[in-house]
Amino acid sequence: MVQKAKILLVDDRPENLLALEAILSALDQTLVRASSGEEALKALLTDDFAVILLDVQMPGMDGFETAAHIKRRERTRDIPIIFLTAINHGPHHTFRGYAAGAVDYISKPFDPWVLRAKVSVFVELYMKNCQLREQAALLRLQLEGGGGKAAVGDTKEPAGLLAELSARLAAVEEQAEALSKQLDDDSADAAAVATAAHLERKLTGLRRALDALEPGTGSGAASSLPSPN
């Protein structure tokens, strides 16, 4: 059963958090509230998030400072950040948002449909990466076990396990291809396109490693496995 992705909502105003929850509830993912930058950083210590919606104007630690802390941490540096702001000081202010590591910068009031569509893209990319990590972990177990059982209680023979891994990988490849086409059609954000391309490269590496395990091809494919990160 695929777990839901977590989306972090950061805003010091409860009414704004409530509005974001109403907009994003249709995505059927887990929405986590944070009413300050400090609270957001605490949540990021223990949970993994698909995307962060971060208000710029907050008392104490503002959005820019919060983003800087997020990007300095190895665990969280790659989480996409979408800045939300009720004010617009012009291109200079927007540039500061992108310089802080944001993948997008949206001024309030924003179009709920547009925001939901942007968030859904990053949720899909996150889910595909989770699936890819699972396939890579299974394949590593097969390689490191020298063709033995993949896990305790797994009674599949090596050939059957390879067939199952190949089928699972094919499903992820098909979904990733469909997502890439969607990004091309919608002229999506450059960050989303780049993330999708990175995902496809990792899928290609995993497919090569899996093909190398087929009978008669040897089992020296461990070094070609894509990084799980």
Side-chain angles (χ1 to χ4, degrees):
M1 183 175 179
V2 178
Q3 291 186 340
K4 294 182 179 182
K6 292 183 178 180
I7 302 170
L8 182 59
L9 313 176
V10 190
D11 199 302
D12 63 298
R13 294 179 176 271
E15 63 271 23
N16 290 343
L17 291 171
L18 188 62
L20 287 174
E21 288 176 338
I23 292 170
L24 300 176
S25 60
L27 298 179
D28 193 28
Q29 304 300 325
T30 302
L31 306 177
V32 179
R33 284 188 176 202
S35 58
S36 66
E38 292 85 354
E39 191 174 331
L41 294 176
K42 288 181 181 178
L44 288 162
L45 287 173
T46 55
D47 289 328
D48 293 324
F49 292 90
V51 61
I52 302 169
L53 274 62
L54 180 58
D55 184 39
V56 172
Q57 298 295 120
M58 294 187 296
M61 185 185 297
D62 66 13
F64 296 129
E65 187 178 353
T66 303
H69 282 290
I70 292 171
K71 293 302 177 182
R72 278 198 292 266
R73 293 179 179 176
E74 185 175 356
R75 174 188 172 90
T76 59
R77 66 178 55 164
D78 294 326
I79 302 176
I81 298 174
I82 298 177
F83 271 135
L84 305 176
T85 179
I87 59 174
N88 190 346
H89 293 309
H92 210 52
H93 200 253
T94 304
F95 175 77
R96 187 182 175 192
Y98 287 118
V103 297
D104 210 337
Y105 193 98
I106 303 176
S107 297
K108 305 173 186 176
F110 45 76
D111 186 329
W113 293 93
V114 171
L115 180 64
R116 187 160 52 237
K118 289 177 180 290
V119 171
S120 68
V121 168
F122 289 107
V123 168
E124 283 192 67
L125 288 171
Y126 173 82
M127 300 298 281
K128 298 300 180 293
N129 269 298
C130 287
Q131 289 178 322
L132 181 57
R133 284 196 294 269
E134 290 175 1
Q135 306 311 315
L138 284 172
L139 185 52
R140 284 189 184 279
L141 280 173
Q142 176 68 13
L143 290 169
E144 292 168 0
K149 300 292 188 295
V152 176
D154 191 347
T155 59
K156 292 184 177 66
E157 293 298 323
L161 179 59
L162 285 176
E164 181 179 334
L165 284 171
S166 182
R168 291 186 185 182
L169 181 57
V172 179
E173 288 171 331
E174 183 178 350
Q175 293 168 350
E177 182 179 358
L179 179 58
S180 294
K181 288 181 180 178
Q182 177 187 332
L183 292 175
D184 290 339
D185 293 341
D186 295 344
S187 300
D189 300 329
V193 174
T195 303
H198 179 60
L199 174 62
E200 287 191 333
R201 287 194 297 272
K202 291 198 290 185
L203 281 169
T204 299
L206 185 54
R207 172 58 69 184
R208 283 199 303 265
L210 192 59
D211 289 344
L213 287 175
E214 291 296 327
T217 59
S219 58
S223 59
S224 65
L225 279 175
S227 169
N229 299 317

